[in-house]
Amino acid sequence: MPVLLDGLERLEYRGYDSAGVAVVSAGEGLQIQKCKGRLRSLRDKLDSLPPLTGTTGIGHTRWATHGEPNDVNSHPHVSQNGRVAIVHNGIIENYAEIKQFLLQQGVRFRSDTDSEVVAQLLEYCFDGCGDILDAVYAVLERLEGAYALGILCADRPDVLIAARKDAPLLLGYGDGENFIASDATAIIRHTRRVAYMEDGEVAVLTADSAAVFDAYRRPVEKQIHTIDWDVSAAEKGGYAHFMFKEIMEQPEALRHTISPRLKDGQITFGELRLADDFLRRMHRIYLVACGSSYHVGMLGKYNLERFLRLPVEVCLASEFRYSDPLVDENTLVVVISQSGETLDSMAALREAKARGGYILSIVNVVGSSIARESDDVLYTWAGPEIAVATTKAYSTQLAVLTMLGLYMARRLGRVEEAEYAAVTAELAVLPEKLEKVLACTDACQYLASLYFNREHVFFIGRNLDYALGLEGSLKLKEISYIHSESYAAGELKHGTISLIEPGTLVVALATYEKLLDKAVSNIVEVKARGAEVVALTTESGRERLEQLATHTLVIPDTHPVLRPNLGVAPLQLLAYYIALHRGCDIDKPRNLAKSVTVE
Ligand code: F6R
């Protein structure tokens, strides 16, 4: 139980609608406890009961898909005669059909979940064949959809079985103990030696052995990887929230991302396989991602088109796969993902691959599914990101994407020497400049105290500032629950400006001197309708903006393509302090989960 509960605590950021554990022992059989709410509710419940005993167990925290978050729908799910218990991530798409079949066989269901059919079908098959592994293979053959499964059987208390398809799952090899987990953070206290399960694989673990089989039940030799980051990287280390810690870690994360790839003013990506021949025939680039990673793509579009003079499409992963995308063997598809497990992005990657595209992914989690299925991968090296709202992963993705654009442009001879030198010089000092921005938390704290009780906030900006506003707005709404939108400032007059009324808070992003006059005009327009304006600008824009805006936040001057890397920090801090004032659960906002492994 301590191993399970500690592991769940480290994974809770991935889903927190409910929590549950099951342990199995020869004497007691299967023992299960689960309940709605956070892990602490489960801990309270367990404290009031006699201890569960056993050394084989599974645990789960849920992000509800089928069936509301309540005690019964929590995992683990148990078969009707209590012989099998399972935990499941993913969605069983044909669950209704399987349920119908089992109901006809007289099986009684308890929950509204898709997952319960796995437990019930397993017991049904186990009753038929008498061997739990045979039963697992029979069940997997009938399942459609995505799953990472952990399975216990009362008749085999020494055994834990795991199976994977389209949902993350890894094995941990210990000394006299073995583990399964959806993320290494859950088991790093016990072992650093892990192997990533592939689709179709089934693992049979005991305390002393870990055998893996493929979909045809042939033994598989797994490659063992050693996790090289320290357990403290996934701990709060004295900070009140992971989000604040991760905001503050951004300069260091950027150093890790940039410095090994920037030598004597030259960008080098030693890890890239991207061939000259492909680069020369590349005629289109797609940037594909979800959420904040998509916002990185929005910024990337401006920068990559500037450097490469090639059409760059930025596409939401969930839309891309159903849009009959124009991908061929001369298309570069860049998939951006912190977790490397986002199912929408994974599905888009496969769609692009099937159409012949060259897949380069920008990923934070080493060994994740997206990284493994790509032709090339650039890791962001931001370290584990625990807060649900991304910060340091966003910043490092942005730096990698900008560097990638510049690097490809250089190889193709499309970037002027002066521009290349100017950007690389600024990249080298970006971490220090970001440190300066982060030293001024007071201003954001003060603004948060003024504006935390607003119902609506608007972000406006043009070009890179518009794309940056999308991220500022998402940060604010996801953690503070304030309704917020980001608009291309030039679009206001085409409809949106009707939303502005006396006292409306408008965050005006004006970091781009080429468009400063336009930004100023848009600020004047919203002020004329009574808006209060917080402006974000650079040192060179300070004087003009201070005369105009209600409040002004200032970032150091840097090359224009890198400004969003500095500008994002005050927006993250503003969202953080506003959420703090409102008493929100900052690291685990309602209805969200860190790794979105369902479609
Ligand atoms: C927002 C946030 C999400 C993720 C999105 C994609 O703060 O974190 O919008 O950016 O779910 O996740 P990854 O990057 O893991 O594919």
Side-chain angles (χ1 to χ4, degrees):
M1 287 301 294
V3 175
L4 287 176
L5 292 174
D6 179 64
L8 287 182
E9 191 155 331
R10 286 161 199 286
L11 283 188
E12 205 186 7
Y13 68 101
R14 297 173 76 105
Y16 32 85
D17 288 334
S18 62
V21 285
V23 291
V24 61
S25 67
E28 307 283 335
L30 277 171
Q31 309 148 73
I32 286 126
Q33 286 301 336
K34 53 185 187 171
C35 65
K36 181 184 168 185
R38 301 284 164 94
L39 187 62
R40 63 173 175 268
S41 311
L42 179 69
R43 282 190 189 274
D44 291 347
K45 187 173 179 187
L46 287 165
D47 286 345
S48 67
L49 296 168
L52 307 191
T53 51
T55 57
T56 312
I58 48 180
H60 189 260
T61 58
R62 176 169 186 244
W63 183 74
T65 59
H66 295 55
E68 62 173 284
N70 62 24
D71 291 357
V72 179
N73 290 335
S74 310
H75 297 220
H77 288 286
V78 193
S79 56
Q80 69 171 354
N81 296 323
R83 294 174 78 188
V84 178
I86 64 109
V87 286
H88 168 225
N89 284 345
I91 292 179
I92 306 299
E93 284 167 1
N94 61 338
Y95 82 100
E97 183 191 305
I98 298 174
K99 190 166 179 174
Q100 191 55 33
F101 164 77
L102 290 167
L103 286 169
Q104 281 162 5
Q105 312 305 310
V107 173
R108 291 181 315 281
F109 279 79
R110 297 186 185 91
S111 77
D112 306 317
T113 64
D114 55 325
S115 307
E116 188 184 351
V117 301
V118 181
Q120 301 291 12
L121 188 59
L122 259 171
E123 185 173 87
Y124 178 82
C125 294
F126 184 49
D127 286 346
C129 68
D131 179 87
I132 187 64
L133 195 56
D134 287 348
V136 167
Y137 271 92
V139 168
L140 296 184
E141 230 166 71
R142 293 190 61 175
L143 298 185
E144 283 166 24
Y147 49 79
L149 287 166
I151 301 164
L152 295 183
C153 176
D155 297 38
R156 292 294 310 273
D158 57 326
V159 170
L160 167 60
I161 297 179
R164 172 201 153 120
K165 182 173 165 273
D166 293 339
L169 195 58
L170 54 83
L171 305 176
Y173 300 87
D175 185 10
E177 52 181 5
N178 288 307
F179 305 85
I180 62 167
S182 43
D183 183 334
T185 44
I187 58 171
I188 186 149
R189 282 196 156 189
H190 308 283
T191 181
R192 290 175 173 278
R193 299 175 67 235
V194 302
Y196 302 102
M197 286 185 72
E198 300 291 341
D199 282 351
E201 286 180 352
V202 172
V204 182
L205 272 61
T206 66
D208 304 308
S209 65
V212 180
F213 305 96
D214 69 8
Y216 303 101
R217 219 165 153 171
R218 293 173 302 208
V220 177
E221 198 64 46
K222 294 301 289 180
Q223 193 191 343
I224 297 182
H225 303 261
T226 306
I227 303 283
D228 59 4
W229 43 265
D230 195 64
V231 70
S232 63
E235 286 174 350
K236 268 192 220 154
Y239 286 93
H241 296 97
F242 277 111
M243 183 177 177
F244 192 71
K245 174 180 178 242
E246 288 159 6
I247 291 173
M248 291 301 168
E249 278 173 356
Q250 289 178 110
E252 197 50 27
L254 278 181
R255 259 181 216 113
H256 281 292
T257 308
I258 298 170
S259 53
R261 291 153 169 161
L262 190 61
K263 300 224 169 71
D264 306 324
Q266 301 296 316
I267 298 172
T268 50
F269 282 114
E271 65 266 58
L272 273 192
R273 289 188 289 246
L274 202 61
D276 281 338
D277 161 55
F278 173 80
L279 272 185
R280 273 194 299 272
R281 56 190 164 79
M282 174 173 79
H283 65 171
R284 183 194 300 273
I285 299 176
Y286 271 103
L287 305 175
V288 183
C290 305
S292 293
S293 301
Y294 168 76
H295 296 156
V296 169
M298 290 284 289
L299 290 163
K301 175 182 164 67
Y302 292 107
N303 287 347
L304 265 60
E305 285 186 344
R306 171 182 177 137
F307 298 143
L308 287 157
R309 306 313 301 158
L310 265 185
V312 179
E313 305 278 338
V314 49
C315 211
L316 289 165
S318 52
E319 290 293 315
F320 176 86
R321 65 182 298 206
Y322 301 115
S323 65
D324 197 5
L326 299 172
V327 174
D328 60 21
E329 56 287 348
N330 300 326
T331 310
L332 175 68
V333 179
V334 181
V335 180
I336 309 165
S337 175
Q338 186 284 129
S339 61
E341 300 293 351
T342 303
L343 193 60
D344 286 324
S345 304
M346 186 70 203
L349 181 160
R350 288 181 179 163
E351 180 67 38
K353 213 172 186 179
R355 289 167 186 254
Y358 188 91
I359 317 292
L360 188 159
S361 61
I362 297 176
V363 173
N364 192 38
V365 177
V366 176
S368 53
S369 306
I370 290 175
R372 282 180 292 137
E373 290 201 22
S374 302
D375 297 307
D376 253 326
V377 52
L378 291 175
Y379 285 114
T380 44
W381 303 121
E385 191 180 64
I386 307 295
V388 165
T390 182
T391 52
K392 61 176 180 172
Y394 171 94
S395 296
T396 51
Q397 286 168 345
L398 192 53
V400 171
L401 188 56
T402 309
M403 289 173 84
L404 174 68
L406 201 56
Y407 165 84
M408 291 192 297
R410 170 75 150 205
R411 270 178 70 179
L412 288 166
R414 289 199 196 147
V415 60
E416 304 254 329
E417 194 54 46
E419 165 115 316
Y420 185 86
V423 182
T424 50
E426 280 301 314
L427 268 168
V429 292
L430 195 60
E432 284 98 281
K433 289 197 172 173
L434 186 56
E435 256 156 20
K436 285 205 185 96
V437 177
L438 289 171
C440 312
T441 54
D442 295 2
C444 297
Q445 224 166 337
Y446 170 65
L447 290 175
S449 73
L450 298 181
Y451 293 115
F452 73 92
N453 55 5
R454 295 302 154 103
E455 275 180 41
H456 310 279
V457 176
F458 298 100
F459 289 74
I460 60 170
R462 288 174 187 252
N463 206 277
L464 288 168
D465 282 332
Y466 162 52
L468 177 60
L470 292 169
E471 178 59 7
S473 168
L474 178 60
K475 285 282 95 68
L476 182 66
K477 63 190 141 201
E478 70 181 325
I479 62 167
S480 75
Y481 316 140
I482 293 178
H483 168 241
S484 153
E485 301 292 341
S486 174
Y487 293 104
E491 269 296 291
L492 283 185
K493 57 188 176 295
H494 298 291
T496 315
I497 201 156
S498 66
L499 293 168
I500 307 293
E501 50 186 22
T504 303
L505 176 61
V506 173
V507 180
L509 310 183
T511 69
Y512 210 38
E513 66 269 333
K514 235 170 72 186
L515 295 170
L516 203 60
D517 288 342
K518 304 271 182 234
V520 163
S521 308
N522 296 133
I523 293 173
V524 172
E525 282 161 19
V526 291
K527 275 194 75 181
R529 272 86 188 170
E532 290 184 34
V533 176
V534 170
L536 177 77
T537 190
T538 53
E539 281 298 346
S540 20
R542 179 199 282 268
E543 211 180 311
R544 275 184 85 185
L545 269 300
E546 275 181 348
Q547 287 166 10
L548 192 64
T550 324
H551 306 277
T552 308
L553 293 165
V554 181
I555 56 169
D557 281 312
T558 184
H559 192 281
V561 300
L562 299 176
R563 291 214 186 125
N565 258 112
L566 300 181
V568 73
L571 304 184
Q572 295 165 339
L573 286 168
L574 192 61
Y576 173 79
Y577 285 120
I578 287 180
L580 198 62
H581 269 285
R582 291 165 71 91
C584 298
D585 191 344
I586 292 178
D587 284 339
K588 297 189 187 104
R590 70 182 177 213
N591 304 339
L592 291 174
K594 182 73 179 163
S595 184
V596 187
T597 51
V598 295
E599 227 189 298

